[in-house]
C-alpha cells in the first residue's frame, strides 16, 4: 500500500461524492495502490450510507463507523491506527483541503521528508471571529510551549509510516495531533495554500469544540498555566501579608483605624478570585490526568470493512 488517505466525516453527506471523485482522479495519477479511509464520527445524516455504497463499488474505499461522535482528532487517530500506507494523508471531508494538493505533498514526501504539513495563507469563507481566534491562539501556543508547533497549519498533511508508528505509541486521550507530530520531530517541511470555502453543509467545529481543542493543546504541551497559578498565588499572598502588617501597625502603634469594610471586601474578593482561577487551572490538568489513568479506549467502532491483517 503506497498511500492511505484518512478522512474524518461528521455530517458531510453533500461533500462525500465530489470528494471521492476528485480524490480518485488525483490518486490514480500517483499510484494504483492506495486506500481512502472514511472515519464516520457519528454522523446523523446520510454520510454513512453514502460511504457504504462507495465501498461497494470501489474496493479502495475503506470505512470505520464510530458508535457515536468522538470528535475530529479521535477520528483521525482511528484512521491512523488502521491505515496501511507507506504515506498517510490526513484531510477534511468538506473540500477545504483541496485533493489536488496531494500531488505536491506526495512529491515532497518522496524527496525524503517525513512530514509535509500545509499552512493556510488565506482562509476564505470563515468568520472574522474564527480567523482572529485561530490567529492569536496559534501565536499564544507558540509562546507558551517548548516545541515549535507551526503557525496557521491545520491537520491537512502527509506523514510517513515512521511518524504514524510514533503517533500510535503516544497514549494520551486528549489528542492535539499537530502538536504531537511536532513533538515527534524528524525532517518536516510545509507547503502554503489558500484555503477555499467549505463546499457544502456547514462547519461542525462549534466554538465549544474549538475551546476543547485549544485547552487540550495547551494542557498537553505546556505547564505554563499551572506556573502562572503558582506565581500569582505567591504574589497575592505577599501583598496580603504586607497589608496584614500594615493593619497591625495602624491598630496597635498609631492606634488610628477605621473599620475598613471596603478594603476588607476588596481583599477577600480578590483573594477568592485568584484562588478559584488557580483551582480551575489545576482542575483542567487533573481531569485530563484522571482520563488518562482511567485508560478507556479512545473510541468504539460500530462497523468497519477493514480486515485485520
Ligand atoms: N469533524 C469530525 N467530527 C466532529 C467535527 C468535525 O469528524 O465532531 C470533521 C468534519 O466532517 C470535517 C473536519 O472534521 O471533515 C473539519 O470540520 P469542519 O469543516 O467542521 O471544521 P472547520 O473547517 O470549520 O474548522
Ligand atoms: Mg471545514
Amino acid at each position: 500500500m503506497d498511500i492511505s488517505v484518512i478522512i474524518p466525516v461528521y455530517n458531510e453527506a453533500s461533500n462525500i461524492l465530489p470528494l471521492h471523485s476528485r480524490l480518485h482522479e488525483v490518486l490514480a495519477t500517483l499510484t494504483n495502490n492506495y486506500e481512502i479511509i472514511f472515519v464516520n464520527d457519528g454522523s446523523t445524516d446520510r454520510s454513512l450510507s453514502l460511504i457504504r455504497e462507495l465501498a461497494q463499488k470501489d474496493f479502495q474505499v475503506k470505512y470505520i463507523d464510530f458508535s457515536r461522535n468522538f470528535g475530529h482528532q479521535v477520528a483521525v487517530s482511528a484512521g491512523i491506527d488502521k491505515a496501511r500506507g507507506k504515506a498517510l494523508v490526513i484531510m477534511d471531508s468538506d473540500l477545504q483541503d483541496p485533493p489536488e494538493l496531494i500531488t505536491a505533498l506526495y512529491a515532497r514526501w518522496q524527496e525524503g521528508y517525513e512530514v509535509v504539513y500545509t499552512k493556510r495563507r488565506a482562509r476564505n469563507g470563515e468568520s472574522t471571529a474564527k480567523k482572529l481566534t485561530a490567529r492569536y491562539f496559534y501565536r499564544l501556543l507558540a509562546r507558551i510551549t517548548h516545541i515549535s508547533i507551526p503557525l496557521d497549519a491545520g491537520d491537512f498533511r502527509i506523514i510517513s509510516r515512521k511518524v504514524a508508528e510514533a503517533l500510535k505509541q503516544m497514549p494520551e486521550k486528549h489528542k492535539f495531533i499537530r502538536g504531537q507530530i511536532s513533538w515527534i520531530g524528524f525532517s518536516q517541511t510545509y507547503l502554503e495554500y489558500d484555503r477555499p470555502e467549505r463546499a457544502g453543509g456547514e462547519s461542525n467545529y462549534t466554538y465549544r469544540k474549538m475551546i476543547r481543542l485549544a485547552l487540550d493543546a495547551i494542557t498537553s504541551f505546556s505547564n505554563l498555566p499551572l506556573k502562572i497559578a503558582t506565581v500569582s498565588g505567591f504574589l497575592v499572598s505577599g501583598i496580603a501579608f504586607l497589608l496584614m502588617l500594615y493593619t497591625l501597625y495602624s491598630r496597635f502603634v498609631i492606634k488610628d483605624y477605621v473599620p475598613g469594610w471596603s478594603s476588607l471586601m476588596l481583599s477577600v474578593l480578590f483573594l477568592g478570585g485568584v484562588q478559584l482561577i488557580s483551582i480551575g487551572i489545576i482542575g483542567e490538568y487533573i481531569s485530563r490526568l484522571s482520563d488518562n489513568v482511567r485508560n478507556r479506549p479512545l473510541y468504539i467502532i460500530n462497523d468497519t470493512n477493514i480486515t485485520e491483517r
Side-chain angles (χ1 to χ4, degrees), residues 12 92-96 126 130 195 198 203-205:
E12 303 277 8
D92 287 355
S93 44
D94 58 0
L95 293 164
Q96 283 196 292
E126 289 180 45
K130 182 152 188 169
R195 194 161 209 239
R198 92 180 345 263
S203 173
N204 295 310
Y205 247 103

Side-chain angles (χ1 to χ4, degrees), residues 6-10 12 37-39 72 75-76 90-93:
I6 296 160
I7 307 172
V9 176
Y10 180 58
E12 303 277 8
I37 305 179
F38 288 102
V39 185
H72 168 249
V76 173
I90 302 168
M91 68 189 298
D92 287 355
S93 44

Side-chain angles (χ1 to χ4, degrees), residues 83-128:
R84 283 167 292 185
K86 291 192 204 116
L88 285 67
V89 175
I90 302 168
M91 68 189 298
D92 287 355
S93 44
D94 58 0
L95 293 164
Q96 283 196 292
D97 300 334
E100 292 71 30
L101 212 63
I102 294 177
T103 314
L105 290 173
Y106 192 64
R108 295 315 296 273
W109 174 78
Q110 280 180 318
E111 286 168 24
Y113 289 101
E114 306 286 341
V115 177
V116 188
Y117 58 89
T118 57
K119 277 191 175 200
R120 300 157 178 180
R121 215 165 17 211
R123 304 167 70 114
N124 298 317
E126 289 180 45
S127 68
T128 322

Side-chain angles (χ1 to χ4, degrees), residues 47-149:
S47 299
L48 179 65
S49 53
L50 284 172
I51 294 168
R52 280 205 176 114
E53 275 168 39
L54 275 181
Q56 299 258 310
K57 284 181 269 174
D58 180 354
F59 72 100
Q60 281 154 321
V61 170
K62 304 280 172 7
Y63 65 86
I64 300 168
D65 177 36
F66 279 177
S67 59
R68 63 171 171 85
N69 179 251
F70 279 91
H72 168 249
Q73 299 283 304
V74 176
V76 173
S77 304
I80 293 172
D81 287 344
K82 303 285 182 208
R84 283 167 292 185
K86 291 192 204 116
L88 285 67
V89 175
I90 302 168
M91 68 189 298
D92 287 355
S93 44
D94 58 0
L95 293 164
Q96 283 196 292
D97 300 334
E100 292 71 30
L101 212 63
I102 294 177
T103 314
L105 290 173
Y106 192 64
R108 295 315 296 273
W109 174 78
Q110 280 180 318
E111 286 168 24
Y113 289 101
E114 306 286 341
V115 177
V116 188
Y117 58 89
T118 57
K119 277 191 175 200
R120 300 157 178 180
R121 215 165 17 211
R123 304 167 70 114
N124 298 317
E126 289 180 45
S127 68
T128 322
K130 182 152 188 169
K131 281 188 223 170
L132 274 181
T133 46
R135 185 181 162 80
Y136 289 107
F137 170 67
Y138 287 119
R139 275 146 190 86
L140 171 76
L141 193 63
R143 288 190 78 109
I144 66 176
T145 54
H146 294 299
I147 53 167
S148 62
I149 298 172

